[in-house]
Amino acid sequence: MSFVLGLKFNNVGILIADTRLNLAFKDGSQTVNDVKPVTVDLETNVIFHWGIRERKLAILKNGFAASAGDAILGHALLSKLKGHDLTSDESIESLISATSSELRKLVLSKLPDSSQQFDKTSLMVMVPKSLNISLSMYTTKGLKAYDKSDFLVYWPPEIDKALSVELAESIRKTDLPNDLDDVYQIISKLSGIAYSVHKNSVSVSPTIEFGLTIVNDDGCPLHGYGYGLAEHLSKATPRQVATSISLIK
């Protein structure tokens, strides 16, 4: 499955996703791929390709989105969102619903065993709205599942209740950042949580990618994208975390 974590503090938002692709093929074979490029051809002139970066996290026109669940559906949803204006919930919901309906019949005709994972797929979207960050999770039917919390998490099924409660409490106790160094330290902390999930899961990678959005006082958002080993980022200094982030115009 996947691990996706979103955390916001008014004008600061961080979205993290693991990079593992757990792919099943129609001949019954399966593959686990954390970082290598991979292409899946459904033999219907519909081809899905994952590179080294932006595997389950996409850079949008004005924010980030991450998928959890079925890799093919997640890829299709993220690709659709990248090309559209996401200023309203209605536009996001209708786009997700239409894409899921269109792809469901095609995918299940080729990979009938993937129906359960297909239905459990979720999409987390983090975009700035006015001077604040909006963080929401959507189902494959386009329904907004959550949007009130300061943090949202998609746990892989292997994570037991006790561990998820412990990690969620750690996220909940994260202090409000006062400067950029505080933001980088929070990224390190969340990377440590991602590493804990990896150690206790067979479906989550040791590598993560993350999106960072900061809205200035004038309402102008700044976006950055980062990538690396969760364990290394969890031990990194603020300066080292900063060097792992590329600014996005």
Side-chain angles (χ1 to χ4, degrees), residues 117-135:
Q117 190 168 341
F118 195 98
D119 292 336
K120 290 183 177 180
T121 300
S122 293
L123 205 69
M124 202 176 293
V125 178
M126 184 181 77
V127 292
K129 291 188 177 181
S130 186
L131 296 178
N132 296 314
I133 301 293
S134 171
L135 180 65

Side-chain angles (χ1 to χ4, degrees), residues 96-151:
I96 292 173
S97 178
T99 303
S100 298
S101 297
E102 178 183 348
L103 197 61
R104 181 184 178 86
K105 184 176 181 180
L106 171 62
V107 171
L108 297 188
S109 68
K110 299 292 182 179
L111 304 168
D113 293 336
S114 64
S115 60
Q116 186 175 10
Q117 190 168 341
F118 195 98
D119 292 336
K120 290 183 177 180
T121 300
S122 293
L123 205 69
M124 202 176 293
V125 178
M126 184 181 77
V127 292
K129 291 188 177 181
S130 186
L131 296 178
N132 296 314
I133 301 293
S134 171
L135 180 65
S136 305
M137 185 179 286
Y138 299 86
T139 69
T140 56
K141 294 182 179 180
L143 301 176
K144 182 184 285 189
Y146 307 101
D147 69 342
K148 300 297 183 183
S149 176
D150 289 335
F151 75 93

